[in-house]
Amino acid sequence: MDLAAGFGILGSSAATWLGKDAYSDRSLVHAGYGLLTASLLILLWPWAPTFVVGTLLFKFSWTFVVPVLFAVVGRQGRSGEVVADINVIAGLGLAVAPWAGGQLLYYGGLSILTAISIVFVLISAWCAARLASQEQR
C-alpha cells in the first residue's frame, strides 16, 4: 500500500509540475489517458508481476489524469458552476462505481471488468481530448 500511495503522490506531483510549464492541456490529457489505458491493458495479463506493475501504473496515471481533467473542465466556465457540476458527477461515480464494479467482477470476472473499464476510459479520453482541443482554439 505504501508503494502505491507513493506512486499516487508522484502522479499528482507530475501533473502539477508539468501543468505549470508550457505543456498543452491536450498533450497532458493524451499522455495521462495513454498511461491509464496501458495500465488497464497490463492488468489483463494473468501474471503476478504484471499485475503489480499495472496496479502501480494505474495509481500513477489516475492521480495524474484527475487534476489535468479538472483543470480542463474548470476552464470551460469561469463562474465555478462547471466545477460544481463535475464534482457532483465525480461523487456520483465514486458512489455507484464500486457497486457496479463488484457486480461485473462477480458475474463476469476480472477480464470483463477490465475490458469494460478500458471502454469507459477511452470514451472519457475522447471527451477530454475534445474539451482540451476546443480550449486551445
Side-chain angles (χ1 to χ4, degrees), residues 92-117 120:
L92 180 63
L94 289 171
V96 174
W99 174 82
Q103 297 299 313
L104 287 170
L105 194 57
Y106 181 76
Y107 291 109
L110 184 61
S111 296
I112 298 296
L113 174 66
T114 306
I116 291 172
S117 297
F120 280 111

Side-chain angles (χ1 to χ4, degrees), residues 44-119:
L44 288 174
W45 280 298
W47 190 44
T50 57
F51 187 80
V52 171
V53 169
T55 303
L56 294 176
L57 184 60
F58 180 84
K59 183 67 171 184
F60 175 87
S61 58
W62 177 250
T63 57
F64 181 84
V65 164
V66 169
V68 172
L69 186 61
F70 272 61
V72 168
V73 170
R75 287 191 199 103
Q76 300 302 313
R78 299 287 184 213
S79 66
E81 295 168 358
V82 176
V83 173
D85 290 343
I86 198 70
N87 280 323
V88 169
I89 292 169
L92 180 63
L94 289 171
V96 174
W99 174 82
Q103 297 299 313
L104 287 170
L105 194 57
Y106 181 76
Y107 291 109
L110 184 61
S111 296
I112 298 296
L113 174 66
T114 306
I116 291 172
S117 297
I118 289 170
V119 170

